[in-house]
Amino acid sequence: MINLEEIKKISLHFKISLDQLMNLNSDAILFHGKLNDQSENRFKSWLEDMLNQLEMVNKHQHKHIYFLLKDIPPFYHFYYKDLSYFKFFFWMKSILHYERFKNESFDSKIHHFEEYDEIISKILRFYNKIPTTEIWNLESNNTTLRQIDSYQEMGIFANPSDRQLIYKQLLEMVDHLEKQAELGKKFHPILGLEPDNAPYQLLVNEFILGDNTFMAELDDIRITYLNHSVLYLIGSMDPKLNGAMFDCLENLMKKSSMISTVGEKERIRFFKKLRSKIHSSMAKAAASFNIPPVAQADTDNIPAES
């Protein structure tokens, strides 16, 4: 026999609810995760938690992660220094509310965050080893575009040229994502394909806008991570929840178009539309400051489906 205090210790240690421990049939679902602790170190803690989750996934023999996306996953921004530093600045200033950035404007010559370069490199290395399926929508890059445009309207860019620089790197990121989809592999744009790069599946659903739900299959375990407070995730290993979430995921995948390795015509059309939105924002910015816009590539000559 064990008493209630001992039951509490067991539940806390294994991070399972009393319902699960006692095998009670209830509607309660237990989640675990990190919250914003308001410390000066909170952004680094967020990155470290991301790294820890990816390390945990990589320890399993069978592993696969799924993204039902509203926004482009943060990992892909990390390949491009000025774009990633802008995102860091935005997150720390406008989401995490760092006091030291309260009255500052973004300046690419000043706002460098090299102290995070090492952890970012590790995150990308682990992420590229995990087979991944992503479900996208044409709205997926709108969040970053709105962040750039809002900062411009609010006067939070120190130099007009910085806005164009970030747009340019956003286009480079889209080019890289298209190449990943074409090859069906995740890889670093500078390092290229490596032997341990994982398979990459990209699907497009034109009717469903995702919510940044992140799901993982780890051997015989499933985990669902739900987005909250913009940046954070809470996860659950509840069997009933994960059964329902993966059933929903499979249904969405059946109603989505696969554009990685196959579907060349649809893939080219999809990425052309993503670029078109960026070029439109670039043109407006250039007109505002009399900056010559970057020439848009001619992608009208779309090949027939092979």
Side-chain angles (χ1 to χ4, degrees):
M1 297 293 292
I2 59 176
N3 61 36
L4 287 174
E5 185 62 30
E6 291 168 332
I7 291 174
K8 177 183 175 183
K9 289 180 179 179
I10 293 171
S11 296
L12 290 173
H13 176 79
F14 291 104
K15 297 181 179 179
I16 58 176
S17 69
L18 184 61
D19 289 359
Q20 291 173 290
L21 191 64
M22 306 293 290
N23 197 27
L24 300 177
N25 185 16
S26 78
D27 293 329
I29 299 173
L30 178 70
F31 284 88
H32 62 275
K34 296 288 183 70
L35 302 175
N36 185 351
D37 60 10
Q38 301 299 324
S39 69
E40 184 62 25
N41 204 38
R42 56 192 179 273
F43 181 65
K44 186 177 182 182
S45 295
W46 177 73
L47 290 174
E48 289 173 341
D49 187 55
M50 183 188 298
L51 176 61
N52 291 337
Q53 295 298 324
L54 293 174
E55 285 181 318
M56 180 271 292
V57 171
N58 265 286
K59 289 178 180 178
H60 293 77
Q61 184 172 358
H62 167 74
K63 50 187 177 285
H64 198 107
I65 57 178
Y66 302 84
F67 264 118
L68 180 56
L69 293 166
K70 180 175 68 175
D71 310 317
I72 294 175
F75 314 104
Y76 301 127
H77 301 87
F78 296 166
Y79 290 130
Y80 304 95
K81 187 146 289 190
D82 294 294
L83 174 60
S84 64
Y85 288 170
F86 169 75
K87 296 290 284 190
F88 294 174
F89 180 85
F90 180 88
W91 290 331
M92 284 190 276
K93 178 181 175 70
S94 298
I95 306 300
L96 299 176
H97 305 295
Y98 272 71
E99 190 66 25
R100 61 191 169 105
F101 295 125
K102 184 176 181 180
N103 297 313
E104 290 193 23
S105 296
F106 177 75
D107 189 331
S108 64
K109 295 181 177 64
I110 297 174
H111 292 111
H112 294 178
F113 300 99
E114 287 89 353
E115 64 267 33
Y116 304 124
D117 285 355
E118 183 178 354
I119 191 170
I120 289 301
S121 178
K122 290 179 180 178
I123 286 171
L124 292 173
R125 187 164 66 249
F126 279 113
Y127 184 67
N128 282 341
K129 292 180 179 179
I130 305 172
T132 299
T133 298
E134 296 173 357
I135 303 177
W136 283 45
N137 187 283
L138 279 172
E139 308 298 315
S140 295
N141 71 342
N142 282 1
T143 296
T144 298
L145 288 176
R146 281 197 296 269
Q147 290 168 356
I148 299 169
D149 294 343
S150 295
Y151 265 27
Q152 177 58 42
E153 292 169 6
M154 296 164 64
I156 307 181
F157 277 107
N159 304 301
S161 58
D162 281 345
R163 188 182 181 192
Q164 295 292 83
L165 173 64
I166 295 166
Y167 283 135
K168 181 176 178 292
Q169 292 193 358
L170 198 58
L171 285 169
E172 291 174 6
M173 182 187 70
V174 170
D175 291 343
H176 174 66
L177 287 166
E178 183 174 19
K179 192 66 177 177
Q180 277 195 169
E182 179 186 350
L183 298 175
K185 288 278 190 178
K186 292 196 288 187
F187 64 95
H188 195 292
I190 295 176
L191 300 177
L193 283 172
E194 297 180 292
D196 59 350
N197 287 149
Y200 176 70
Q201 289 187 315
L202 178 60
L203 297 96
V204 175
N205 191 306
E206 297 184 1
F207 306 103
I208 302 297
L209 181 61
D211 53 7
N212 291 336
T213 298
F214 174 87
M215 290 166 276
E217 285 184 326
L218 312 173
D219 295 329
D220 57 349
I221 299 171
R222 287 175 168 177
I223 306 176
T224 297
Y225 293 91
L226 301 181
N227 181 237
H228 75 92
S229 305
V230 184
L231 288 178
Y232 293 91
L233 295 170
I234 52 173
S236 176
M237 291 186 288
D238 183 274
K240 289 187 296 183
L241 172 70
N242 287 307
M245 293 299 291
F246 275 81
D247 285 346
C248 177
L249 176 69
E250 288 179 349
N251 186 50
L252 282 174
M253 290 172 64
K254 289 176 184 176
K255 297 180 179 180
S256 302
S257 301
M258 176 73 73
I259 64 169
S260 54
T261 67
V262 296
E264 180 184 15
K265 184 177 179 180
E266 289 304 313
R267 180 171 65 247
I268 292 174
R269 288 189 187 279
F270 176 73
F271 282 100
K272 179 183 177 182
K273 289 177 180 178
L274 292 185
R275 290 190 192 90
S276 179
K277 289 186 176 185
I278 301 171
H279 280 293
S280 177
S281 293
M282 291 180 78
K284 291 177 182 178
S288 299
F289 296 100
N290 296 317
I291 300 172
V294 176
Q296 183 169 352
D298 181 12
T299 53
D300 291 332
N301 188 18
I302 299 174
E305 188 71 78
S306 57

